[in-house]
């Protein structure tokens, strides 16, 4: 018959317990492992997206500069048109009145004669 000492744990059982403690990861170790794996997979993708977005931002900056330039040119041309209208406004009003009194259709208007359907 096999006698067991009450103060001493059974050797197989103690070995199993030690093995279980050894194989059981410390709390949070699995989460750190998963996080590390996710970061290792996603960081290169994120870096590629950053490079892509920098290119897009550069294009947006170029478009903004173009719009700014066009806005300046349009303002310049509008000022010239207003000045020309002011300088030649009296002449154009006289010309329009003269053309209107002569019986000719006004420039830019559609034809007043419309063919009828048979």
């Amino acid at each position: 018959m096999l006698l067991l000492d009450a103060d001493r744990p059974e050797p197989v059982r103690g070995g199993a317990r030690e093995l279980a403690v050894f194989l059981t990861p410390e709390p949070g170790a699995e989460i750190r492992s998963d996080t590390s794996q996710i970061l290792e997979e996603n960081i290169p993708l994120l870096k590629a997206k950053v490079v892509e977005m920098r290119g897009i931002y550069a294009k947006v900056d170029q478009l903004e500069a173009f719009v700014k330039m066009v806005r300046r040119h349009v303002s310049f041309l509008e000022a010239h048109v207003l000045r020309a209208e002011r300088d030649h406004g009296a002449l154009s009003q006289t010309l329009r009145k003269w053309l209107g009194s002569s019986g000719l259709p006004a420039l830019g208007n559609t034809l007043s004669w419309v063919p009828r359907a048979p």
Side-chain angles (χ1 to χ4, degrees), residues 21-40:
V21 168
F22 176 74
L23 293 177
T24 304
E26 51 186 90
E30 288 181 23
I31 293 172
R32 283 193 299 268
S33 175
D34 290 345
T35 303
S36 296
Q37 181 181 0
I38 290 170
L39 289 175
E40 287 174 3

